[in-house]
Amino acid sequence: MGFGEYPAEYNPKVHGPFDPARFYGKPDIPFGEVKLGEVGSWLGRRSIGGLPSALSRAFWRWQHKYMLPKKTGIAPFCQLAIGAVTFFYVINYSKLKHHRNHKYHW
Amino acid sequence: MMDLFSSFDPSSGIMALPLNWLSTLLGMLFLPYILWAMPSRWSFVWASLLDTLHKEFKILLGKGKATGTLMFVSLFSIIVFNNLLDLLPHIFTSTSHLTMNLSLALPLWISFMLFGWVNNTKHMLAHLVPLGTPGPLMPFMVLIEVTSNLIRPGTLAVRLTANMIAGHLLLTILSNAMVSMSGIIILSTLLISQILLLLLELAVAIIQSYVFSVLSTLYASEVD
């Protein structure tokens, strides 16, 4: 599975039109139903090479729900804006930390 | 003084890595995708905006040989997204840095100049003297036109940089003043002026990106 290619398990005759939000591999137990003792083996079955495709599927699921419907509202833009603000706040936090002390001096 | 400009610093808090430049790519998340046969409302809005821009730039480029407007419309898109997202708190303004703006303006200008001078040398030389110049004035006009041509990338970049920095700085200074002020009248005056400045910043953000792309279009049309 390379960049810009279909996943290896995708078969147009079986699955129909390609949906970038769908996982086409062998289905595994959803994380919500994994027993506590099985968490280690469940995590062992994941591979770090599948992370980019997982992120891509998450992005497309978000797109399907919020940006692609006929009547989009302002919700996805607000989500993006607040997400971006939080992200940049977090990565700049150590530069902003000293603002706590502003009330103690002028 | 260091605190006023620390919002323009691209180094983030994590080991001083310049992660803040990621805000340049943030605009890409806002772009509409078309998966279904029926596009979304946002797709329609974006497409109509781009359509207006394409038509506008097509008129500016005239009936020359090369009338591709895609580059200028995408230039407008990246600048408008960066400028608008800057208005949100904590998000880094990449277009307030000369590095970013020069890397947008300089390649454009150099490519136009090289193409024009190598391929249409006579045409470009003729452009150096505007229409209707009195005879004795011509040498000085050539000097002036050469100078104006040479500083174009500089003006293009510095205009955008200065506008973004100035607006952002004004808002920061006003907010600093509001924080340390007491007294309801001064506070409400500052509040109203800050809201007005924010509205101005919104307008400036969009206008400046438009100006940048329109001017690059004009510089391109001069070559042909």
Side-chain angles (χ1 to χ4, degrees):
Chain A
M1 191 175 17
F3 183 73
E5 293 172 6
Y6 286 133
E9 301 91 359
Y10 171 68
N11 185 352
K13 295 188 202 43
V14 171
H15 298 121
F18 181 66
D19 181 7
R22 238 185 92 175
F23 177 62
Y24 287 103
K26 188 164 137 354
D28 201 356
I29 318 167
F31 191 60
E33 291 167 22
V34 170
K35 308 273 186 311
L36 263 177
E38 295 171 10
V39 172
S41 59
W42 189 91
L43 284 173
R45 271 174 269 148
R46 309 286 143 238
S47 70
I48 201 76
L51 186 65
S53 43
L55 292 173
S56 150
R57 286 193 303 272
F59 172 75
W60 276 105
R61 274 203 297 274
W62 177 81
Q63 286 274 9
H64 273 307
K65 186 166 177 187
Y66 289 102
M67 285 276 237
L68 292 173
K70 254 202 317 194
K71 302 206 174 157
T72 24
I74 204 168
F77 304 104
C78 291
Q79 289 171 352
L80 277 174
I82 295 179
V85 166
T86 352
F87 174 72
F88 281 96
Y89 180 79
V90 163
I91 62 175
N92 285 321
Y93 181 67
S94 58
K95 284 196 323 185
L96 301 163
K97 213 162 44 158
H98 66 275
H99 288 174
R100 289 184 296 189
N101 304 330
H102 104 279
K103 58 184 174 185
Y104 297 117
H105 58 76
W106 188 29
Chain B
M1 205 48 181
M2 183 247 139
D3 277 344
L4 265 182
F5 285 100
S6 63
S7 59
F8 295 110
D9 185 8
S11 61
S12 63
I14 308 174
M15 291 191 301
L17 285 169
L19 287 173
N20 273 331
W21 285 112
L22 284 173
S23 70
T24 323
L25 301 172
L26 197 55
M28 280 181 60
L29 287 174
F30 284 79
L31 290 174
Y33 284 79
I34 301 181
L35 185 69
W36 305 103
M38 184 68 185
S40 61
R41 252 206 290 229
W42 170 227
S43 268
F44 276 120
V45 169
W46 184 246
S48 69
L49 171 68
L50 291 193
D51 204 33
T52 323
L53 282 172
H54 272 294
K55 287 203 192 82
E56 174 93 32
F57 291 146
K58 203 113 182 138
I59 298 174
L60 284 172
L61 278 177
K63 292 204 235 323
K65 278 172 278 198
T67 51
T69 52
L70 185 60
M71 183 168 64
F72 305 109
V73 173
S74 44
L75 198 58
F76 173 84
S77 311
I78 190 178
I79 299 180
V80 88
F81 272 128
N82 274 306
N83 290 352
L84 284 176
L85 284 170
D86 168 45
L87 294 168
L88 294 169
H90 297 305
I91 295 187
F92 179 67
T93 330
S94 45
T95 42
S96 69
H97 278 265
L98 204 56
T99 6
M100 161 93 171
N101 296 337
L102 267 179
S103 20
L104 287 173
L106 212 50
L108 280 175
W109 177 82
I110 286 183
S111 52
F112 294 148
M113 288 291 117
L114 276 177
F115 180 82
W117 284 97
V118 165
N119 291 318
N120 303 335
T121 319
K122 238 187 267 178
H123 183 92
M124 297 292 280
L125 281 170
H127 261 277
L128 287 178
V129 182
L131 226 62
T133 327
L137 209 53
M138 280 194 214
F140 305 107
M141 283 311 293
V142 169
L143 277 174
I144 294 176
E145 288 289 320
V146 164
T147 326
S148 80
N149 252 335
L150 286 176
I151 62 171
R152 264 181 195 165
T155 56
L156 221 49
V158 170
R159 182 185 302 112
L160 189 54
T161 315
N163 267 296
M164 288 299 114
I165 293 185
H168 210 81
L169 209 56
L170 268 173
L171 285 169
T172 323
I173 292 177
L174 266 183
S175 55
N176 279 346
M178 266 211 288
V179 158
S180 49
M181 209 62 79
S182 59
I184 189 78
I185 296 184
I186 293 184
L187 218 55
S188 40
T189 324
L190 285 175
L191 188 64
I192 293 175
S193 50
Q194 180 139 47
I195 293 175
L196 288 175
L197 260 179
L198 196 63
L199 289 175
L200 176 70
E201 276 308 294
L202 264 172
V204 167
I206 302 176
I207 291 172
Q208 281 304 317
S209 52
Y210 179 70
V211 163
F212 194 103
S213 36
V214 162
L215 280 179
S216 353
T217 320
L218 285 173
Y219 299 161
S221 68
E222 270 194 13
V223 165
D224 242 342

